[in-house]
Amino acid sequence: MTAVDGTALTRAIGDRPGRALPLLGITDKPDAPPERDQALTRCSACRTAGGTGLTTAALAPFGGHGINLAAITAAICTGEEAHPDARRRYVAGMACGFFYLLTGICGATLVGLFTALPTDLVAVIAGVALLGTFSTSLAQAVADEPGRDAAVVAFLTTASGVTLGGIGSSCWGLVLGLATHMTLTLRGRSPRTG
């Protein structure tokens, strides 16, 4: 019989807010696109408001962080981006499901492949894969002049990697970005407008 390491268990429980809160904040934000909300309400597991967010927050420390991420993918598959004709959008959902199953079946092989590659090469592949998303997201974040300062504060805090009270930088980036936005909004002006 193996002994349970109390330190690891304490660390996992202590990391709960650092893993769960950013996912909850990102996926249950009030300005979410209507397609996502419609897809979430059609989902049998999401009959109550915030149900998937709370489930994600509870299960994130145990590896169940993908609940809302899958709901977002479902929303993309049911939106106009999938097909202009609503009767043909099921093809995107079926393709998505097929590739999820294929990835699940071949998951061990994919992990083995990436484990065999040099660490630096995996980092470069991941960086190149995220370059387009990063540049588009950053451009959109700073395009709105009144919200530019808050976006930059959120970005820099998240990129810093700071951890306070067991809560990671992604959560602190959200908190400080919102605090900056609220402060500038309550003052009634942006520092750029004088």
Side-chain angles (χ1 to χ4, degrees):
M1 185 159 143
T2 2
V4 176
D5 182 13
T7 307
L9 182 60
T10 305
R11 190 177 309 127
I13 291 170
D15 287 347
R16 180 178 302 219
R19 285 184 260 170
L21 291 177
L23 288 170
L24 178 67
I26 290 168
T27 54
D28 275 0
K29 61 184 180 151
D31 61 336
E35 296 84 20
R36 191 208 74 179
D37 290 336
Q38 291 167 4
L40 290 176
T41 54
R42 284 194 296 261
C43 175
S44 61
C46 328
R47 296 287 182 209
T48 59
T52 58
L54 295 174
T55 305
T56 296
L59 296 178
F62 307 106
H65 58 80
I67 294 169
N68 267 333
L69 302 178
I72 292 170
T73 305
I76 293 169
C77 290
T78 59
E80 290 182 9
E81 297 84 9
H83 199 281
D85 183 6
R87 294 174 294 163
R88 300 282 300 154
R89 293 181 190 159
Y90 74 93
V91 176
M94 298 210 26
C96 185
F98 171 76
F99 286 111
Y100 275 161
L101 288 172
L102 185 64
T103 303
I105 291 169
C106 301
T109 306
L110 288 172
V111 168
L113 173 69
F114 280 102
T115 305
L117 293 173
T119 309
D120 293 338
L121 179 61
V122 174
V124 168
I125 291 171
V128 169
L130 291 173
L131 237 130
T133 303
F134 172 74
S135 62
T136 302
S137 298
L138 189 59
Q140 287 177 353
V142 297
D144 179 36
E145 189 164 342
R148 183 174 296 157
D149 294 325
V152 170
V153 167
F155 172 72
L156 292 176
T157 305
T158 303
S160 73
V162 68
T163 300
L164 296 172
I167 299 174
S169 63
S170 56
C171 186
W172 289 119
L174 288 170
V175 169
L176 290 177
L178 284 171
T180 303
H181 177 72
M182 299 284 281
T183 302
L184 294 175
T185 303
L186 289 175
R187 282 177 45 196
R189 60 182 177 83
S190 171
R192 297 191 186 287
T193 58

